Amino acid sequence: MSVGLSEYLILAVILFVIGLTGVIRRKNLLMLFFATEIMLNAANVALAALSSYMGDLTGQMFALFIIAIAASEVAVGLGLLILVYKKYGTLDLDDLNLLKG
Amino acid sequence: MMPIAINYDALNLVTLAPMLVTLAGALLILIIDLIKPNLDKSLYVTLTILTLFIAFGATTSVKLNSRGLFDLILIDGISVLGNLIILIGSILFIPLALTKKRFHEFSYPEFFAMFLFMIFGFQFMVSSDNLILIFVGLETASLALYPLIAMHNTKPSIEAAVKYFTMGAMAAGFYAMGSAALYGLTGSVELHTIAQVFQERIHEAGSIIPIAGAALLLLVAIGFKVSLIPFHMWTPDAYEGAPAPMAGYMSIVPKIAMMVVAIRVFSLYFDLNITLIKYVIIALAIVTTTVSNMMALVQEDVKRMLAYSSISHAGFIMVAVALDSTKGYASIFMYYGLFLFTNLGAFAMLWISRRKTARFHERYHHPYEKFAGMIHKAPIAAVIMAIFMLSLAGVPPFSLFWGKLYVISAIVDKGYYTVALIMALNSAIAAYYYLKLIVYMFLKPAIVKDGQIVYANRTLALQTVIGFAAFVTITSIFYIQPLMSYITKLIVATHI
């Protein structure tokens, strides 16, 4: 059995849905950030597969940019998480409830 | 290996000038801090304003409809208008750092450097039609904005930054997936090439569903950033937790940048006659305006009320994006240009009365009770606040009345009478919560006898900004016609 474009695209969609479910369902902020990274990586898989299928380098270039952005997102996000942990003593989303209404 | 010859004329580096100025300013601030630490913040404020003014001049002097840097940068009418609104908003925002009370974030020069990096990102976002560059600009700006909120270093501000961050990261995922879909359908990431390929492929059987699906993914990403309901969860919390001027800034500059992207993306779809997208946008806009108006009615805090009112204004504008007419596009920029002064002025009025601790409520810094009887203690401040509120409510002759008038007339021109009626009714509902504050200020007895409460944070810089914003709000009747013709001229020059 050969792996073609459609298998890669299905994988990308599955990853995207897993990531989206994670963002909606997860209560731990660290896990929530992992879920957003999965969403970005789903786009990476799709872009790389499409780019290889079409013989055009633009998609792979886009994927490289997304990797760089995902890395900087982690840097900023973890910095924020450390601040949250210092102030609140927890990473549970339900405990961040000063602002609501 | 053969050297690659690049023609400098084809690079057209002039189109990069506004961004490079901002970048140079940010680096200069970092270098100055490296050489001589612990300088006063007023120096950095001055440097930032100077940089922004030079960038302003550079933006207006670039030739219209020019492309540069291997066609990555596109300077057309809407990018110039977007750039101008971003820069004016930033110039008005940054003097608000010169407060009487000391706040944590302004003691760092990095705050000002990061602020300029953020504007750098927004400038790239509005002046490109390449999906990669728009994404990089969007994320540069967003990733600089989250720490700017968190640097206030209070529990609510960090919570606000984290909530904004999570939703922003999710929006980035949707944007990346939407662009991947567009790339898969057309083999290009440049919107003008995508438009051409779509025109050829739209007649193929079964092509309409993936094409519309890509638009819906991008609509979710845009919806998060301009806070359309149901993607608005982060907005009121982020505005309440952020310091008041930052909240006012967030209700204008990031949104106008995303609006420009929305215009570029969706005008491509309107050319294909996919009416589904048009109706989805209009439906989202109506829901946004109505629901956020209802939520604003029940708020106890003026800042949170203004947050919901900003959401409802964004919904109001989003209708104009779906109109696909010159007048509709012109009214977007018109509205944001006027909304900038009024809304930033209103948030600056909250900032001027800010104390370190909340006195009137265990949670809120600016409950309605704080403003009770303000006319007796601080008549000028009460009158200026009332002018901002009347303008937000759309009472003539104040500036936002003209904005609402142009948007509604653009809607009527397209024949959507029901939509126009709903929007007009919403403006009437919105008047209630703006007038509630005026009633508190003018008719209720004062709780505290101390007039200082209103001016706790007052400095000359803050008064200048508020005075200027109030001046622009009041005198709108004199400049509205030339402004509209200038904006229309730029929109007509754009190929959208």
Side-chain angles (χ1 to χ4, degrees):
Chain A
M1 185 192 140
S2 69
V3 180
L5 177 67
S6 51
E7 278 83 0
Y8 278 108
L9 291 184
I10 291 167
L11 173 69
V13 171
I14 292 172
L15 279 177
F16 189 77
V17 173
I18 290 174
L20 189 58
T21 326
V23 174
I24 295 167
R25 300 287 302 168
R26 284 284 184 181
K27 291 294 173 202
N28 186 302
L29 275 172
L30 199 58
M31 290 301 162
L32 214 151
F33 285 2
F34 285 154
T36 61
E37 296 301 311
I38 294 176
M39 286 172 81
L40 284 176
N41 278 329
N44 278 345
V45 171
L47 281 168
L50 287 166
S51 154
S52 155
Y53 175 76
M54 289 190 278
D56 175 54
L57 275 181
T58 322
Q60 292 176 36
M61 225 163 70
F62 202 161
L64 275 177
F65 273 105
I66 293 179
I67 291 169
I69 283 166
S72 38
E73 216 161 60
V74 168
V76 171
L78 288 185
L80 282 177
L81 281 196
I82 290 170
L83 266 181
V84 169
Y85 195 74
K86 274 184 182 166
K87 291 265 177 190
Y88 285 81
T90 173
L91 286 181
D92 198 331
L93 202 54
D94 289 337
D95 292 332
L96 270 71
N97 53 8
L98 281 177
L99 309 167
K100 59 171 187 278
Chain B
M1 196 175 146
M2 281 287 286
I4 302 167
I6 294 172
N7 186 359
Y8 277 99
D9 290 336
L11 269 182
N12 202 359
L13 286 173
V14 184
T15 51
L16 263 183
M19 297 83 162
L20 289 182
V21 169
T22 331
L23 185 65
L27 293 176
L28 183 69
I29 287 174
L30 287 180
I31 291 168
I32 288 175
D33 177 52
L34 211 61
I35 296 170
K36 198 166 179 347
N38 299 325
L39 288 170
D40 191 63
K41 66 184 172 185
S42 58
L43 169 76
Y44 297 118
V45 171
T46 322
L47 269 177
T48 311
I49 294 179
L50 201 65
T51 311
L52 292 173
F53 267 112
I54 299 172
F56 191 91
T59 308
T60 44
S61 58
V62 175
K63 205 160 122 286
L64 217 56
N65 286 325
S66 51
R67 285 181 170 275
L69 211 72
F70 308 106
D71 285 358
L72 281 174
I73 306 279
L74 165 66
I75 303 287
D76 56 4
I78 55 172
S79 85
V80 169
L81 283 171
N83 263 321
L84 292 184
I85 292 176
I86 288 167
L87 290 172
I88 294 171
S90 312
I91 290 170
L92 270 185
F93 166 80
I94 207 71
L96 297 177
L98 296 168
T99 49
K100 192 165 158 195
K101 300 263 182 291
R102 293 171 143 272
F103 287 98
H104 191 75
E105 66 262 49
F106 304 126
S107 56
Y108 295 109
E110 286 87 352
F111 180 89
F112 301 97
M114 213 138 67
F115 182 74
L116 286 174
F117 282 133
M118 175 182 69
I119 296 165
F120 176 70
F122 285 132
Q123 283 174 316
F124 266 113
M125 209 171 136
V126 297
S127 35
S128 174
D129 71 341
N130 187 304
L131 289 172
I132 300 180
L133 203 60
I134 292 174
F135 187 56
V136 173
L138 166 69
E139 286 302 299
T140 313
S142 305
L143 290 177
L145 181 55
Y146 311 136
L148 287 183
I149 301 166
M151 273 169 99
H152 196 53
N153 208 19
T154 57
K155 262 180 137 179
S157 76
I158 290 168
E159 188 179 328
V162 166
K163 284 183 174 168
Y164 193 8
F165 178 89
T166 344
M167 290 301 145
M170 194 167 150
F174 272 100
Y175 182 91
M177 209 59 191
S179 335
L182 282 184
Y183 175 67
L185 287 166
T186 61
S188 171
V189 289
E190 282 167 349
L191 286 173
H192 60 105
T193 324
I194 292 174
Q196 278 171 12
V197 179
F198 272 173
Q199 293 287 3
E200 293 156 14
R201 290 196 54 183
I202 190 74
H203 304 295
E204 291 173 25
S207 67
I208 192 110
I209 292 168
I211 289 178
L216 289 181
L217 283 172
L218 287 174
L219 181 62
V220 173
I222 290 168
F224 270 114
K225 286 289 170 186
V226 299
S227 69
L228 298 178
I229 289 173
F231 313 113
H232 72 293
M233 304 79 96
W234 59 273
T235 324
D237 292 355
Y239 286 15
E240 191 196 324
M246 190 51 101
Y249 188 80
M250 274 155 61
S251 71
I252 298 151
V253 171
K255 290 191 181 178
I256 188 68
M258 210 60 200
M259 283 288 179
V260 170
V261 177
I263 292 173
R264 284 193 202 285
V265 171
F266 293 126
S267 66
L268 182 161
Y269 278 92
F270 301 147
D271 292 344
L272 298 174
N273 283 323
I274 303 181
T275 41
L276 172 75
I277 305 290
K278 201 175 258 190
Y279 291 131
V280 169
I281 294 176
I282 291 181
L284 275 182
I286 289 175
V287 171
T288 305
T289 323
T290 317
V291 175
S292 59
N293 266 341
M294 298 300 161
M295 295 297 290
L297 284 179
V298 298
Q299 297 305 321
E300 297 168 34
D301 183 64
V302 175
K303 197 172 166 194
R304 211 171 162 85
M305 178 272 278
L306 282 175
Y308 276 107
S309 110
S310 309
I311 302 178
S312 99
H313 283 280
F316 194 86
I317 297 288
M318 203 61 195
V319 179
V321 174
L323 292 178
D324 188 29
S325 64
T326 309
K327 196 173 177 186
Y329 291 135
S331 64
I332 295 171
F333 293 99
M334 170 77 142
Y335 198 97
Y336 261 102
L338 300 171
F339 185 55
L340 187 165
F341 289 101
T342 310
N343 212 33
L344 209 57
F347 274 103
M349 282 303 297
L350 299 182
W351 188 231
I352 214 171
S353 66
R354 170 69 196 269
R355 287 174 172 275
K356 284 281 184 184
T357 49
R359 263 206 199 172
F360 295 89
H361 194 281
E362 72 269 19
R363 171 177 158 196
Y364 295 130
H365 272 281
H366 311 283
Y368 280 102
E369 289 77 33
K370 181 179 177 177
F371 298 91
M374 200 164 134
I375 185 73
H376 305 301
K377 295 175 292 180
I380 300 174
V383 167
I384 290 183
M385 190 69 170
I387 287 171
F388 288 139
M389 286 303 128
L390 288 176
S391 175
L392 284 173
V395 175
F398 301 116
S399 57
L400 268 186
F401 167 72
W402 308 104
K404 284 184 197 263
L405 192 72
Y406 275 111
V407 174
I408 289 182
S409 84
I411 298 172
V412 169
D413 281 356
K414 274 280 173 178
Y416 300 131
Y417 298 112
T418 332
V419 180
L421 187 68
I422 293 171
M423 288 301 155
L425 280 178
N426 262 308
S427 296
I429 298 171
Y432 175 81
Y433 53 79
Y434 297 126
L435 288 178
K436 188 174 160 192
L437 180 61
I438 294 180
V439 167
Y440 263 93
M441 285 192 302
F442 285 79
L443 301 176
K444 297 258 176 175
I447 292 176
V448 273
K449 301 282 169 256
D450 181 12
Q452 265 321 97
I453 186 72
V454 189
Y455 294 131
N457 208 5
R458 174 171 70 164
T459 56
L460 189 62
L462 265 69
Q463 280 173 307
T464 315
V465 171
I466 291 173
F468 186 65
F471 177 77
V472 173
T473 307
I474 296 167
T475 58
S476 59
I477 194 163
F478 298 110
Y479 62 77
I480 209 77
Q481 202 58 47
L483 181 67
M484 193 62 191
S485 56
Y486 174 71
I487 292 174
T488 312
K489 197 183 80 189
L490 281 178
I491 298 278
V492 170
T494 314
H495 304 292
I496 43 176

